[in-house]
Amino acid sequence: MRVAAIYARISSDPRGLALGVGRQIEDCKAWAHRHGTVVAEVYVDNDVSAYCGKPRPEYRRMCDDIKEGLRDGVIAWHPDRLHRSPKELEDFIVLIEATSAEVHTVTGGDYDLSTPHGRVTARILGAVARHESEDKSRRITRKAIELAQQGKRNGGGTRAYGYNAAHDKVVPEEAEIVKESAQRILAGDSLRSVCSDLNERAVPTVTGRSWSTTVLRNMLMSARLSGQREHKGEIISMGAWAAILTPVQTARLRSLLGNPDRRTNRSPRSYPLTGLVRCGLCGAKMVARPRDDGSRRYVCARGPGNVGCGKTYQLAEPLEHLIVEAVLYRIDSKDFVQAVAAHTTQEARAAQVEQELEDDRHQLDELAERYGRKEMTAREWTIAKAPIQDRIAAHERRLVTFTGTSVLNGYVGHADSLRRQWNTLTAARQRAIVSALLDSIVIGPGVRGRNTFDPSRVTPNWKV
Ligand SMILES: [Zn+2]
């Protein structure tokens, strides 16, 4: 559905249960926005008469527009907004069949009148709707959405971390924790290590209990932190409260923490260089694979699911030791101070790109609205949005290349304290620190029969 009509109807409401027309339209617009559908026009009938025989001029006009191909679909809040009687439903089915227009209802899902099955469903729905014009469960759902839109928790409950109970003010010290955790996760740190760090520092949660990975994960994936409204995991619109994170940060966190690969970090990785070690012969990433005696190894693996040559092996212990020493040396070196300065610049640039991305998305929305109001033609709209879409794609590509160095905060020039802590850090945290500095570690071919560690086989590729 590309150019849709929204249909809303004010009906008689003796029990005061009907949904205001403004709410119907708001929900329909939100649906259109989420599905990239342009709203060409909103049709509203005032149908407050007690019986259902009254003509509906706007409904009639909308049907004519569909017939003429001006609209290729309809969005309504519920099927009962569209038809008031079986007769009206049958007429509507004829129209839909003739035009292949799509029908979507916000609370009833896709309403496929083009198939026999869909039509039967619609008839049954219509019959049910006549018996209970405003059923209870929908009202409850709607209430939940309203609460979500006001940024309130369903049924009260505890307040959201980072905000006061009324959800209209930021709690500064909690906002700092939110920002810090988000930055660390985005920089590659694990939920587990951020949690244990917060618990070690005795940072309280909202409930006063200690931090768990689930609590932290749910918190960071919440769109409310970037001032967005959310319902059932979907972002509905922008809220009125202050944001702690940017919408782009939320998007990155949700994709990162929603990624099933990431959920396997229940036990910390015991191979901190995973993903960084590459085979010098074929260039493949070497994978963690212990020897039969249990000693840890990085291996260039071949066979099903592997792309390597199968020729390069490296014991993990001495390699990790060497890399840690190299990293610690680097952190104390003059080069490194410059490197951090460069990374700080990079983070500032990332923030700028995030802002530009937001501006472009906003501009795209504005264009769609202007097109919907017929202030521009479809051709003008297509031409106008192309460069913006290109910019958005370019911004998104650039953002992926920015890697934060916030995991290194506090360690610059203090390699000694990092050295003392190193073995107490989780593998994920160690890996985050190493990968803030190193692009890859290439392992050259081994000499047959030689079993001692040969540092000359190891080539670290520094990021800066
Ligand atoms: Zn290889």
Side-chain angles (χ1 to χ4, degrees), residues 349-350 352-353 356 392-403:
R349 279 212 315 272
Q352 198 192 335
V353 173
E356 285 167 11
I392 289 177
H395 288 332
E396 285 174 342
R397 279 196 301 275
R398 278 185 71 197
L399 269 182
V400 174
T401 66
F402 290 124
T403 49

Side-chain angles (χ1 to χ4, degrees), residues 117-320:
H117 177 77
R119 289 194 289 270
V120 169
T121 309
R123 285 174 185 128
I124 294 170
L125 268 176
V128 172
R130 280 197 308 285
H131 285 293
E132 21 180 348
S133 59
E134 297 288 343
D135 75 273
K136 200 169 169 242
S137 69
R138 266 195 294 128
R139 292 199 324 271
I140 291 167
T141 308
R142 179 62 232 183
K143 184 74 185 163
I145 298 173
E146 271 177 25
L147 287 173
Q149 291 189 332
Q150 291 159 16
K152 287 178 187 159
R153 276 177 180 243
N154 234 335
T158 43
R159 68 180 173 86
Y161 192 82
Y163 294 94
N164 63 351
H167 206 84
D168 57 3
K169 282 200 183 70
V170 168
V171 179
E173 57 273 23
E174 292 185 356
E176 282 312 307
I177 296 295
V178 169
K179 284 183 200 161
E180 180 202 310
S181 311
Q183 280 171 357
R184 284 176 64 173
I185 296 295
L186 288 174
D189 218 339
S190 72
L191 288 169
R192 176 175 280 262
S193 79
V194 174
C195 279
S196 53
D197 190 31
L198 293 177
N199 289 333
E200 241 165 70
R201 284 154 52 191
V203 175
T205 60
V206 166
T207 58
R209 296 196 201 100
S210 61
W211 290 89
S212 70
T213 53
T214 310
V215 166
L216 183 66
R217 181 171 174 275
N218 289 346
M219 176 187 93
L220 291 176
M221 283 181 74
S222 160
R224 278 177 304 178
L225 291 176
S226 49
Q228 301 177 95
R229 291 166 173 167
E230 186 179 7
H231 177 65
K232 283 189 179 169
E234 263 193 289
I235 292 171
I236 297 176
S237 59
M238 293 305 289
W241 55 88
I244 297 173
L245 302 175
T246 68
V248 176
Q249 278 178 313
T250 293
R252 287 166 76 193
L253 284 165
R254 285 164 85 104
S255 87
L256 191 66
L257 298 173
N259 181 350
D261 289 349
R262 180 91 194 183
R263 285 195 208 115
T264 58
N265 66 2
R266 259 176 251 112
S267 62
R269 286 201 233 190
S270 57
Y271 288 82
L273 303 183
T274 305
L276 290 171
V277 188
R278 286 181 175 276
C279 169
L281 287 173
C282 71
K285 277 183 183 167
M286 291 170 70
V287 298
R289 191 154 300 172
R291 224 160 47 181
D292 290 343
D293 65 6
S295 47
R296 298 182 307 116
R297 270 190 322 178
Y298 294 95
V299 167
C300 179
R302 62 185 290 197
N306 293 303
V307 292
C309 64
K311 288 181 183 148
T312 308
Y313 300 83
Q314 175 60 57
L315 274 177
E317 212 81 39
L319 174 68
E320 286 163 10

Side-chain angles (χ1 to χ4, degrees), residues 50-107:
Y51 64 100
C52 285
K54 202 179 157 191
R56 290 186 287 163
E58 283 292 285
Y59 178 79
R60 182 74 43 85
R61 195 167 68 79
M62 179 187 73
C63 289
D64 288 345
D65 285 348
I66 292 173
K67 208 175 288 171
E68 282 175 33
L70 295 171
R71 316 279 173 254
D72 56 17
V74 182
I75 306 168
W77 196 73
H78 186 269
D80 69 11
R81 299 294 95 187
L82 285 169
H83 347 280
R84 303 168 299 183
S85 68
K87 169 79 176 72
E88 282 184 348
L89 172 60
E90 294 308 318
D91 291 346
F92 192 67
I93 289 174
V94 170
L95 173 69
I96 295 304
E97 275 187 323
T99 56
S100 317
E102 288 174 37
V103 183
H104 188 93
T105 62
V106 174
T107 53

